[in-house]
Amino acid sequence: MQHEAIPEIQAATTLEALQTVKTKYVGKSGLVTRELGTLGKLPPEERKARGAEINAVRQAIQDALDTREATLRREALDAQLASEAIDVTLPGLPLPSGGLHPINRVYDDLTGIYERLGYTVVEGPEVEDEHHNFEALNVPWYHPARDLQDTFWLEDGRLLRTHTSPMQIRYMTEHEPDLKIVVRGKVYRYEATDATHESMFHQLEGLVVGDHISMADLKGTIAEMARGLYGPGAKVRFQPSYYPFVEPGADFAVYWDNPRGESKWLELGGCGMVHPSVFKAVDDLREAQGKTRVYEGKTGFAFGLGPERIAMLKYKIPDIRYFYANDPRVIGQFRGEL
Ligand code: FA5
């Protein structure tokens, strides 16, 4: 029987085929098992020898089964590994990745410049009260900016800040001079949109307060920013302008030259020397909170600009509304750029 079983075992090429052979010989009603069952019919003196004989056969078959099973399992594993082998010469699949929004990249450029000049970067609330957004900034009740037409008012009397300047008030109420900060964040205006105006946009606000701060410091700072953005050849231009929270006030533009020979003045934002009424409003707020009055008699400058303008030129985006339309054809171009 062993002589038949062993070649059958060797011939089994799958685990299923091997199981069939196993059942045939050593299963519950297999040939060897049945043979053992016949022992009882033998005369007692033959039983022992015959029993040992059959057990030896069963053991030999079982050993052969085990060996073959191990071989088949190893072969199956080898085949599986071979079929799943990684071809390291195949080009990789590109991983989809995000990217920084162009406005954030411009912000990073700008705050990088100011951090190197020792400024602290802060953010503030987008929902503001009238006092911080207008009154404390010396914007009178009859100023057109306070009109319903220009401000998104909330039902509770608060508003969406129309500029980042209210953070001047918040920061000075909390901190004593000397200070140098830039504020980054979103602002909102209820106005018709066009290629250069959005109802939600961004600003970068700067505020420096100390002793003997002058207009020359302001101009030097804006010039330093322009050089940081557009290289050593960048020029800046200041034109008198009016903002209630500064005196004197100015608008500033940067003359930028690029290798393609396109060069022009880019109107960036407003600036000026902090108005004494603003320092007084801050001291009033501080006093109401039990803090000391420390701002009257100080000097400082402030500026505010729109990073969208810089990003539109830098990335050749012709319409400000593309930044926030969530069109993957636009934003997708900034994938992977960090
Ligand atoms: C202000 O908002 C002042 N708070 C700036 C300031 C700060 C002056 C500190 C003096 C001292 P203005 O409304 O001009 O100023 O806006 C500043 C800049 O924001 C503009 O130069 C422009 O770059 C940008 N901006 C204004 N309105 C929009 C708009 N609708 N869409 C996109 N950018 C805008």
Side-chain angles (χ1 to χ4, degrees):
M1 204 186 312
Q2 188 176 344
H3 302 297
E4 292 156 30
I6 303 289
E8 277 182 55
I9 290 169
Q10 302 300 341
T13 51
T14 63
L15 287 165
E16 293 74 38
L18 189 65
Q19 183 61 40
T20 309
V21 182
K22 184 174 180 175
T23 312
K24 178 176 172 188
Y25 290 98
V26 294
K28 262 198 190 128
S29 47
L31 296 173
V32 179
T33 319
R34 265 190 270 159
E35 204 55 38
L36 278 170
T38 62
L39 281 179
K41 292 181 192 133
L42 291 178
E45 62 278 10
E46 287 176 31
R47 227 180 265 167
K48 198 175 170 197
R50 181 69 184 141
E53 212 177 279
I54 302 172
N55 269 328
V57 169
R58 198 180 61 166
Q59 193 56 53
I61 293 175
Q62 190 60 55
D63 288 350
L65 283 168
D66 291 347
T67 311
R68 187 68 189 146
E69 186 180 335
T71 307
L72 288 175
R73 283 198 189 283
R74 199 177 53 242
E75 280 173 9
L77 184 64
D78 284 349
Q80 189 188 356
L81 287 175
S83 72
E84 289 175 3
I86 295 168
D87 181 351
V88 293
T89 64
L90 276 178
L93 296 173
L95 285 178
S97 71
L100 280 187
H101 191 278
I103 297 301
N104 281 334
R105 294 212 258 156
V106 168
Y107 260 143
D108 288 350
D109 290 347
L110 287 167
T111 52
I113 292 167
Y114 282 103
E115 275 171 330
R116 285 193 285 282
L117 293 172
Y119 284 63
T120 303
V121 182
V122 299
E123 294 184 7
E126 290 170 25
V127 172
E128 262 299 0
D129 54 63
E130 208 175 345
H131 188 73
H132 285 86
N133 197 83
F134 293 125
E135 263 152 41
L137 287 164
N138 200 30
V139 182
W141 63 268
Y142 51 82
H143 193 280
R146 291 178 70 156
D147 198 326
L148 278 173
Q149 302 303 313
D150 293 313
T151 305
F152 286 112
W153 292 90
L154 304 183
E155 281 173 357
D156 63 5
R158 291 185 299 166
L159 50 87
L160 297 182
R161 65 178 176 191
T162 59
H163 51 176
T164 41
S165 303
M167 266 308 282
Q168 293 187 25
I169 307 299
R170 289 193 179 277
Y171 196 85
M172 287 192 280
T173 307
E174 294 301 319
H175 300 83
E176 299 195 1
D178 301 349
L179 57 88
K180 296 203 283 189
I181 58 163
V182 281
V183 186
R184 55 184 277 177
K186 291 190 179 79
V187 303
Y188 302 84
R189 287 186 198 173
Y190 184 41
E191 61 182 338
T193 66
D194 60 29
T196 53
H197 293 84
E198 251 295 9
S199 48
M200 187 281 297
F201 58 100
H202 294 78
Q203 286 192 338
L204 185 83
E205 183 94 9
L207 174 69
V208 173
V209 179
D211 294 308
H212 314 299
I213 305 287
S214 73
M215 194 82 184
D217 297 317
L218 168 59
K219 291 177 79 174
T221 303
I222 300 289
E224 188 60 28
M225 172 180 75
R227 286 191 289 268
L229 285 174
Y230 297 114
K235 285 180 284 193
V236 286
R237 179 183 73 184
F238 293 82
Q239 288 178 314
S241 185
Y242 173 71
Y243 295 93
F245 33 92
V246 288
E247 178 59 35
D251 283 325
F252 61 94
V254 174
Y255 192 80
W256 60 286
D257 248 328
N258 71 23
R260 282 182 290 274
E262 305 160 65
S263 46
K264 53 183 163 198
W265 288 103
L266 171 64
E267 288 284 351
L268 263 192
C271 63
M273 303 306 294
V274 179
H275 198 289
S277 304
V278 172
F279 286 141
K280 180 177 180 306
V282 167
D283 272 342
D284 289 347
L285 280 170
R286 292 178 59 89
E287 194 169 43
Q289 294 178 9
K291 299 190 179 101
T292 46
R293 302 181 74 93
V294 281
Y295 280 96
E296 270 152 301
K298 292 287 171 187
T299 47
F301 66 74
F303 59 85
L305 59 90
E308 275 86 357
R309 296 265 169 96
I310 300 172
M312 285 172 78
L313 280 182
K314 183 167 181 187
Y315 301 116
K316 302 217 164 302
I317 294 177
D319 192 313
I320 189 173
R321 290 167 291 196
Y322 286 153
F323 287 129
Y324 310 115
N326 270 343
D327 185 333
R329 289 171 301 178
V330 176
I331 300 306
Q333 295 179 45
F334 297 92
R335 278 241 166 115
E337 308 244 358
L338 297 173

